[in-house]
Amino acid sequence: RKEVEQDPGPFNVPEGATVAFNCTYSNSASQSFFWYRQDCRKEPKLLMSVYSSGNEDGRFTAQLNRASQYISLLIRDSKLSDSATYLCVVNRVARAGGTSYGKLTFGQGTILTVHP
Amino acid sequence: DADVTQTPRNRITKTGKRIMLECSQTKGHDRMYWYRQDPGLGLRLIYYSFDVKDINKGEISDGYSVSRQAQAKFSLSLESAIPNQTALYFCATSEKRSSGANVLTFGAGSRLTVL
């Protein structure tokens, strides 16, 4: 089983739609969680962190359910510019050579296309 | 100028050739990483470094080597390239944090094709 799993999509939605992406993680020691956005042929960029109580940033809402090891991203009022791949990223503490660090594991990404 | 710069951005080479991908950063971050991205597989960590001359293997280090001779530079080498190393390679940096929110800043990527 992959450590981080996402529905790859693609999701094709009209402008103005609400769309939700899900992500599950297998390691219960995971401590922090993120959504990154990656435009076609570009580098990933941080979209938002995911907090235990859930958090919102404009049209974007992220939720975390630690008991079910599940993360979600909700996009309201979709725009054409939201078309991208959304990467679920999970962080846990690891050690290498006596140094603690945050080890990130990326999901394969969910493709979103918003059409007129 | 970009915070994290990768060169070359695109490279086509032949099987058996030695290839070096360069990464430089102006973020002042201690930690640097090399990832590869393949369709359907997401980003996978090749090597990472916490400081100058510190090198650690990631999940897919076979066939690759790295060098960190300066804080701002982290290079990735393929000693003898093979076709299944065809991929999009990303360099990334992060601040030094022991456990918490570990936000990565990525370079624009280097697309490598091995024929």
Side-chain angles (χ1 to χ4, degrees):
Chain A
R1 181 185 173 189
K2 291 181 182 177
E3 191 166 340
V4 180
E5 294 202 62
Q6 294 181 249
D7 179 348
F11 286 68
N12 294 294
V13 302
E15 276 186 288
T18 296
V19 62
F21 307 138
N22 301 321
C23 171
T24 58
Y25 61 96
S26 60
N27 193 322
S28 59
S30 300
Q31 293 188 322
S32 49
F33 310 88
F34 310 90
W35 286 100
Y36 278 69
R37 171 194 167 126
Q38 185 174 21
D39 293 317
C40 187
R41 299 182 182 275
K42 302 277 190 173
E43 71 273 25
K45 293 184 178 179
L46 179 68
L47 177 66
M48 59 196 300
S49 300
V50 186
Y51 301 123
S52 296
S53 55
N55 49 297
E56 191 173 302
D57 182 1
R59 298 180 293 108
F60 298 83
T61 301
Q63 298 276 357
L64 167 64
N65 184 323
R66 287 188 184 272
S68 301
Q69 296 182 194
Y70 169 96
I71 306 155
S72 66
L73 177 68
L74 181 77
I75 305 175
R76 291 182 300 278
D77 189 22
S78 299
K79 311 292 184 190
L80 296 176
S81 58
D82 293 334
S83 297
T85 298
Y86 291 84
L87 304 171
C88 173
V89 184
V90 172
N91 179 73
R92 61 178 171 87
V93 178
R95 292 185 68 83
T99 301
S100 294
Y101 70 103
K103 180 178 178 182
L104 294 177
T105 302
F106 287 78
Q108 65 182 95
T110 298
I111 299 170
L112 172 66
T113 301
V114 181
H115 58 81
Chain B
D1 287 343
D3 293 327
V4 183
T5 302
Q6 292 183 229
T7 57
R9 293 292 314 281
N10 289 283
R11 182 73 183 267
I12 299 173
T13 190
K14 294 182 178 180
T15 297
K17 293 292 186 182
R18 183 177 188 272
I19 296 297
M20 180 179 287
L21 305 180
E22 308 269 11
C23 177
S24 62
Q25 54 122 342
T26 57
K27 300 282 288 183
H29 288 166
D30 290 316
R31 299 182 173 184
M32 298 187 74
Y33 311 80
W34 275 105
Y35 287 88
R36 69 176 274 177
Q37 187 173 37
D38 299 275
L41 294 178
L43 282 147
R44 292 181 293 167
L45 183 62
I46 306 172
Y47 271 98
Y48 58 101
S49 168
F50 293 150
D51 206 343
V52 176
K53 298 188 178 179
D54 175 72
I55 302 296
N56 303 282
K57 290 183 177 181
E59 56 186 298
I60 54 162
S61 58
D62 287 349
Y64 302 95
S65 63
V66 291
S67 175
R68 183 95 183 267
Q69 297 296 320
Q71 193 215 30
K73 296 184 184 294
F74 193 35
S75 60
L76 175 72
S77 294
L78 288 69
E79 295 302 324
S80 180
I82 56 176
N84 77 359
Q85 291 177 312
T86 293
L88 182 56
Y89 290 85
F90 286 105
C91 175
T93 71
S94 72
E95 292 180 304
K96 180 180 178 181
R97 296 190 186 202
S98 61
S99 63
N102 193 26
V103 176
L104 296 177
T105 300
F106 286 89
S110 296
R111 185 168 295 279
L112 176 65
T113 302
V114 184
L115 301 177

